[in-house]
Amino acid sequence: MKFISAGESHGKCLVGIIEGLPSNLKIDLSEINAYLALRQSGYGRGGRQKIESDKAEILSGVRNLLTLGSPLSFAVVNRDYENWRAVMAPEGCDISKKTVTAVRPGHADLTGLLKYGQTDARNILERASARETAVRVVAGSIARQYLKELGVKVSGYVKSVCGISDDNIYSFDRLDAAKSQPLFMLDADKQREAMKKIDSLKEEGDTAGGVIEIRVSGLKSGFGSCMDYARKLDALLCGALMSVQAIKGVEVGLGFSSADKKGSEVHDEIFYNGEYFRKTNNAGGIEGGMSNGEDIVLRAAMKPIPTLTKGLRTVDYATGEPVKASTERSDVAAVCAAEIILESVTAFTVAAAVADRLGGDNMREVKERYAALEG
């Protein structure tokens, strides 16, 4: 199963193509659009979320709500394009308006200008923008529906915002409740504290990051590989999460804290009562690059959004003179959006690993093969 996307932040639309979906997977468009809405929600979001109301449109690969087995293509229209047509139209436009040369620290602006031989950072930032993740949410939502047919679920919540951390441990069935909270946090006291912090940062013209935990429940053992490093499930998942804009660190299970512990405190002992099980899950559901049947536990660190309203010191690419960085319409915190996006790329990566192992041209074959697996 493969996915490719295209489109610019203020262009006509974002488009995506999924290749490798089996036929007869029922597609729930309302569920896809619900996740798109969640991606635009959350305390600390900026003005663009009031302009856009993202909806997915299936273009091909589905008939009467069922996949055909052919490539599935879809689009998410940028409603703000009408306000940008004069400077973004591929048919011809006035690129002198909205030109960006005050390159922003923490963004792709300067490195992209040098790499692609451009003089206007808009030609870089339009694609590097996190707006691109809207199509990753659509693809992930479709993958989520594929996994749901097998009894596999993906969820998550926000663990911390700007250092205000919830250190509680929650069962998987509690995680979805986070989606009804303003910051997707499950500890009410920590959430209130984090919201006050965001308010303070907004007044200062600053931004916040955070830590998001993603879990996968119900996946049987053996997905991924210990024989081929390119197919190790933890490597695939960490790569997928790191591909999301602003993510600077990923850990599985105990992650970095395992380096400070003794082996007897880290490795999950194995038991048998008719089937194999573990009483702990420090490995985060992955051993030797393969799922081991326990919940997969991932955590990702999101850096503060690099577009600050107060502007950081930088250089004007056109003149070489010191200036304040350009300010696009932006958020103070986008940890809720990141949580939905990370769930989505996790779902797609797991679905791709399942499809890699099981194959199957239609959902009946996929379900029969999954049911026949042990553990």
Side-chain angles (χ1 to χ4, degrees):
M1 195 180 298
K2 298 178 181 178
F3 171 64
I4 187 171
S5 71
E8 288 75 47
S9 179
H10 295 98
K12 293 181 179 181
C13 65
L14 301 164
V15 297
I17 299 175
I18 303 174
E19 183 182 33
L21 278 171
S23 67
N24 295 329
L25 171 65
K26 188 172 183 180
I27 298 299
D28 185 341
L29 194 58
S30 64
E31 182 179 296
I32 294 170
N33 288 331
Y35 278 105
L36 281 173
L38 282 170
R39 176 192 166 275
Q40 294 184 286
S41 69
Y43 200 77
R45 300 305 303 277
R48 182 165 189 179
Q49 311 315 315
K50 300 175 183 178
I51 297 172
E52 303 278 9
S53 181
D54 288 336
K55 304 289 183 185
E57 180 182 358
I58 305 296
L59 303 177
S60 68
V62 176
R63 185 180 185 218
N64 193 30
L65 304 180
L66 295 174
T67 56
L68 300 174
S70 56
L72 188 158
S73 64
F74 60 86
V76 177
V77 173
N78 289 332
R79 300 183 191 281
D80 201 21
Y81 174 67
E82 291 307 314
N83 297 320
W84 287 76
R85 182 188 294 272
V87 296
M88 288 297 298
E91 303 85 358
C93 60
D94 184 359
I95 62 172
S96 66
K97 299 177 180 179
K98 297 284 188 179
T99 296
V100 176
T101 56
V103 290
R104 298 164 300 168
H107 273 279
D109 296 359
L110 178 57
T111 304
L113 283 172
L114 297 170
K115 176 179 174 65
Y116 292 102
Q118 300 284 356
T119 56
D120 179 2
R122 182 157 302 285
N123 291 339
I124 307 302
L125 66 88
E126 284 289 332
R127 178 60 183 171
S129 167
R131 173 70 184 150
E132 173 268 345
T133 59
V135 284
R136 292 208 248 179
V137 169
V138 177
S141 298
I142 292 169
R144 190 193 299 265
Q145 292 173 25
Y146 169 90
L147 293 172
K148 193 183 297 182
E149 290 288 316
L150 308 178
V152 181
K153 298 178 181 179
V154 182
S155 192
Y157 69 108
V158 173
K159 280 193 71 69
S160 75
V161 176
C162 204
I164 299 167
S165 182
D166 175 2
D167 296 323
N168 294 312
I169 298 174
Y170 301 99
S171 61
F172 185 88
D173 59 9
R174 288 199 59 192
L175 303 187
D176 280 348
K179 307 296 191 300
S180 63
Q181 297 300 313
L183 264 179
F184 289 13
M185 296 182 79
L186 291 169
D187 184 305
D189 292 335
K190 293 294 183 180
Q191 182 169 248
R192 281 191 290 270
E193 188 179 349
M195 290 168 68
K196 289 180 181 179
K197 180 68 174 180
I198 288 172
D199 292 341
S200 175
L201 291 171
K202 184 175 182 179
E203 291 180 5
E204 298 168 10
D206 221 322
T207 59
V211 175
I212 298 105
E213 181 166 303
I214 305 296
R215 304 232 208 109
V216 181
S217 180
L219 184 67
K220 292 185 177 183
S221 66
F223 290 95
S225 176
C226 63
M227 303 297 185
D228 179 357
Y229 71 86
R231 294 171 58 224
K232 286 179 176 287
L233 185 59
D234 44 2
L236 294 170
L237 285 167
C238 289
L241 268 60
M242 283 294 295
S243 76
V244 174
Q245 290 87 333
I247 300 302
K248 302 303 289 184
V250 178
E251 63 180 12
V252 182
L254 285 182
F256 280 94
S257 66
S258 63
D260 300 327
K261 299 179 182 295
K262 298 180 294 184
S264 58
E265 298 173 319
V266 171
H267 303 297
D268 304 303
E269 294 180 311
I270 300 170
F271 303 87
Y272 185 77
N273 62 357
E275 60 182 24
Y276 297 103
F277 69 97
R278 297 156 181 81
K279 294 181 179 179
T280 57
N281 188 23
N282 296 328
I286 301 176
E287 291 176 304
M290 301 171 292
S291 60
N292 66 10
E294 304 291 336
D295 282 4
I296 291 175
V297 182
L298 308 164
R299 280 177 293 277
M302 179 188 190
K303 71 178 181 181
I305 295 166
T307 300
L308 278 63
T309 56
K310 68 179 182 180
L312 295 173
R313 290 178 295 177
T314 186
V315 173
D316 189 306
Y317 186 77
T319 66
E321 296 296 318
V323 292
K324 284 288 183 72
S326 299
T327 300
E328 296 283 308
R329 185 170 49 232
S330 186
D331 306 317
V332 178
V335 288
C336 295
E339 195 281 326
I340 295 298
I341 297 158
L342 293 171
E343 277 191 31
S344 300
V345 299
T346 297
F348 193 88
T349 303
V350 171
V354 170
D356 178 61
R357 184 182 184 189
L358 299 182
D361 293 315
N362 59 70
M363 281 306 298
R364 176 184 55 79
E365 291 178 345
V366 174
K367 292 168 76 171
E368 287 176 351
R369 293 173 186 180
Y370 189 76
L373 296 175
E374 292 185 14

